[in-house]
Amino acid sequence: DADVTQTPRNRITKTGKRIMLECSQTKGHDRMYWYRQDPGLGLRLIYYSFDVKDINKGEISDGYSVSRQAQAKFSLSLESAIPNQTALYFCATGTGAGYEQFFGPGTRLTVL
Amino acid sequence: SQQGEEDPQALSIQEGENATMNCSYKTSINNLQWYRQNSGRGLVHLILIRSNEREKHSGRLRVTLDTSKKSSSLLITASRAADTASYFCATVRNDYKLSFGAGTTVTVRA
């Protein structure tokens, strides 16, 4: 969905490096989410934000941090990447509690 | 933790046939949603069914919800090659967060 963009789309990095994944949206939604997808496990919620001053931990926040720089931008950082953080990462936006979410195209991250 | 579990894990059908997949969950929900994911791409919302609804339709999609059995089904009628994708159910509880299952991979053969 072009309304939610993620950069980079692919990234290969080494253990111990700091990585930032960025998400931008033009949908005007207040709510933004970061998920990780591993084969056979579906999507798991890492962090979410309901507005610029609101940050909440999700199911698997350890090893990750986020920054909500503006309503339209939500970044995910891996402070010191490790191989088991190799996964597909998705950003999503939403209009309200429990309503449908709109996903970006994903970032494929490989940690060697 | 994953609330929903899809069944089967994988499904292969001939073009024109119907595809049915199921989702079971463990605790009470506010609503249940189905999403489609084409290979390596972002998820696309298909349909949302609220806990007080039993059936919803959207084009060739039919979703049912049985809260007594804590299960939902997604039926795709008259399948097409473009329906080849993974399908995920996502349950929404009173915390209003989506909890995804592991998905059903559907392959439609020409």
Side-chain angles (χ1 to χ4, degrees):
Chain A
D1 190 332
D3 297 324
V4 183
T5 58
Q6 293 184 232
T7 56
R9 295 293 312 279
N10 289 282
R11 180 75 183 266
I12 299 174
T13 190
K14 295 182 178 179
T15 298
K17 294 291 188 181
R18 185 176 188 275
I19 297 294
M20 179 180 287
L21 309 182
E22 299 187 343
C23 177
S24 295
Q25 53 116 347
T26 58
K27 299 188 79 68
H29 293 163
D30 288 327
R31 296 168 185 253
M32 297 188 74
Y33 306 82
W34 275 105
Y35 292 91
R36 124 176 216 169
Q37 184 177 31
D38 297 277
L41 289 181
L43 275 72
R44 291 181 290 168
L45 182 63
I46 305 172
Y47 270 96
Y48 61 103
S49 169
F50 288 167
D51 64 42
V52 174
K53 297 180 181 179
D54 178 75
I55 299 290
N56 303 283
K57 292 183 177 181
E59 186 183 345
I60 52 163
S61 59
D62 287 348
Y64 302 95
S65 62
V66 291
S67 173
R68 184 82 183 264
Q69 301 94 323
Q71 188 210 32
K73 295 185 183 297
F74 192 35
S75 299
L76 175 72
S77 293
L78 287 66
E79 298 301 325
S80 179
I82 56 177
N84 76 0
Q85 292 178 313
T86 293
L88 195 51
Y89 289 85
F90 289 102
C91 173
T93 72
T95 56
Y99 294 159
E100 67 177 291
Q101 294 184 10
F102 299 84
F103 284 79
T107 294
R108 187 170 296 278
L109 176 66
T110 302
V111 183
L112 302 176
Chain B
S1 61
Q2 289 177 267
Q3 160 85 313
E5 292 186 6
E6 289 92 341
D7 172 63
Q9 288 186 323
L11 183 58
S12 180
I13 56 173
Q14 202 74 28
E15 202 165 24
E17 293 180 339
N18 296 342
T20 300
M21 59 211 84
N22 304 295
C23 173
S24 60
Y25 57 92
K26 297 172 184 168
T27 60
S28 61
I29 60 171
N30 179 284
N31 69 67
L32 185 146
Q33 303 176 27
W34 285 91
Y35 288 79
R36 184 188 73 233
Q37 182 182 33
N38 291 94
S39 182
R41 304 182 73 171
L43 278 71
V44 174
H45 182 264
L46 296 176
I47 199 163
L48 181 155
I49 187 164
R50 301 186 192 286
S51 60
N52 61 354
E53 297 176 311
R54 292 297 168 258
E55 186 171 316
K56 284 191 83 169
H57 296 255
S58 177
R60 293 183 296 111
L61 305 180
R62 172 178 170 253
V63 169
T64 62
L65 179 64
D66 186 335
T67 53
S68 67
K69 295 181 179 179
K70 293 187 171 57
S71 68
S72 174
S73 68
L74 171 66
L75 168 67
I76 305 172
T77 61
S79 63
R80 307 166 181 169
D83 294 328
T84 293
S86 292
Y87 293 82
F88 295 87
C89 71
T91 53
V92 180
R93 295 174 288 187
N94 287 335
D95 59 3
Y96 299 113
K97 290 182 284 189
L98 270 65
S99 180
F100 287 86
T104 293
T105 300
V106 175
T107 302
V108 181
R109 307 186 306 273

